[in-house]
Amino acid sequence: MPRFRQAVWDEPLLKEMSRQGRVGMLAPSDPKVMAKTKDPALFVPANMRRDSLDLPELSELQVLRHFNRLSQMNYSVELGMYPLGSCTMKYNPKVSELIASSDTVKQAHPLQPPETVQGLLSILYELERYLSEITGMSRFSLSTAAGAQGELAGVLMVRKYLREHGGSKKDEIIVPDSAHGTNPASAAMAGFRVVKVPSDSTGQVRASAVKELCSEKTAGMMFTVPNTLGLFESEVSEVCDAVHSVGGLMYYDGANMNALLGKARPGDMGFDVVHLNLHKTFATPHGGGGPGAGPVGVTKKLEEYLPVPVIALKRGAYTLDYGLDHTIGQLKGFVGNSAVLLRAYVYIRLLGASGLNNVSSLAVLAANYLWKSLDPEAFPVTHGKGLRRKHEAVVSVKSELPGAAMTMAKAILDYGMHSPTVYFPLIVHEALMIEPTESEPVEVLDDYARALNEIYRSMKAGSLGEVPKNTSVGKVDEVKASHPMTLRVHW
Ligand SMILES: *Cc1c(COP(=O)(O)O)cnc(C)c1O
């Protein structure tokens, strides 16, 4: 079983390794400069020099080893699989990193006049066309910086559109019980009352259940397809019809488009507003809070409500258009997180239409393969038995012990593997939500399933003990770790 070497937490600090007079800096060796002086400190302009500075004194190799050790304490998708369901942590092609970090991109200033950044704007303009084509929407605003912000933009557009079209009494948004927590939060932030619709035993929302909740108060519904159980909603078109028939609008949570790329389009299913998480579906490293991009797209009738700016092509030149007639306003500075947008553009261009279609096929194949490799007695599904999964599978850890899913999540760290998402969606008891993505070879999926099965057997036999054992930090008190947050170093 692969175990990657973990650095030990009690490595000395730089300060503790410091020895007076030890030097790690190599002075410039330009002979012309060296001829003038022997003291490298004199290369620093006089007004920036200090007499003393209390820094650790170390050799270059000590510093190098210290930071390399620290970097190895982090887990990343470049060390192993990162199968966080719903969060889609996929491999990011190095070429997109290279392009996104090129000087022309890095040095572009957000306040530069558009005529000096025509190249970048033309790329963003094209990206907008690609996203529209992929989703079946008419237009996108790229500025919103996360899925949650795209959602807020989306429901604010719904609110404004309805108010301007005689629907100001409409104040309810329907949200399924399997939805991501940001859905009800966004709807509530936009001033709507959230009405919950239950999933049935197949893990899907029935059109009849939605119809029962629809009234003249219905402003719309936020719907995730495939849903967070990884299941395609087979009555999606009927659900759209039901909400439309009372004058509501349909919102598509497209954070995870990984099963639908090139296969099906929310626009064709009947949705009016869509957000995408470029930092999930379209590569881009994420985690630790960002940065991300959650562009929001709409059908023709909502185009003028998009958040500004949008990228426009006027008389052969690309510009930032702030002048949409009914815009909900500006939610984020400038064009958005341009480096994230650029990576998504490269990802799309690298793969092309048929490549994107293949991504979906492989993501679905990998999710179903991994799911089928798990012991069905240990990890039963609670919803939609017999149905094939899409990009992810949610299983329940069968155990009398409380916190069994958390124990699994901690124990797999000892194998040098990242945990799946746990305890989401909320409707599944002791949930493990596993999303391998399209990039993992079959041997990695085999190893992962074997590890989960093995841990389960140990847990059942009572021989697991305290986990994790091999990590640099043991089991942390998660409440205490974040509240109150105190970062402190003693020496
Ligand atoms: C991740 C996710 C979101 C929220 O996206 P953020 O970028 O984290 O704000 C919304 N819905 C679903 C289904 C998600 O997986």
Side-chain angles (χ1 to χ4, degrees), residues 86 146-148 151 180 182 253 255-256 277 279-280:
S86 209
E151 287 176 32
H180 194 266
T182 48
D253 180 334
N256 304 282
N277 276 25
H279 50 288
K280 292 179 183 172

Side-chain angles (χ1 to χ4, degrees), residues 216-267:
E216 74 279 2
K217 293 180 118 345
T218 306
M221 173 169 172
M222 301 179 84
F223 208 13
T224 309
V225 187
N227 62 31
T228 62
L229 293 161
L231 297 166
F232 191 83
E233 294 279 359
S234 58
E235 294 185 8
V236 58
S237 296
E238 291 85 344
V239 168
C240 289
D241 289 345
V243 172
H244 285 151
S245 73
V246 292
L249 295 173
M250 283 301 293
Y251 184 96
Y252 181 86
D253 180 334
N256 304 282
M257 272 285 283
N258 231 26
L260 290 201
L261 292 174
K263 306 278 184 201
R265 310 192 310 168

Side-chain angles (χ1 to χ4, degrees), residues 378-400:
F379 304 105
V381 291
T382 56
H383 296 74
K385 290 188 179 67
L387 291 178
R388 198 169 290 158
R389 270 48 197 171
K390 293 295 176 216
H391 58 291
E392 63 197 5
V394 180
V395 296
S396 174
V397 185
K398 193 173 173 199
S399 171
E400 258 78 77

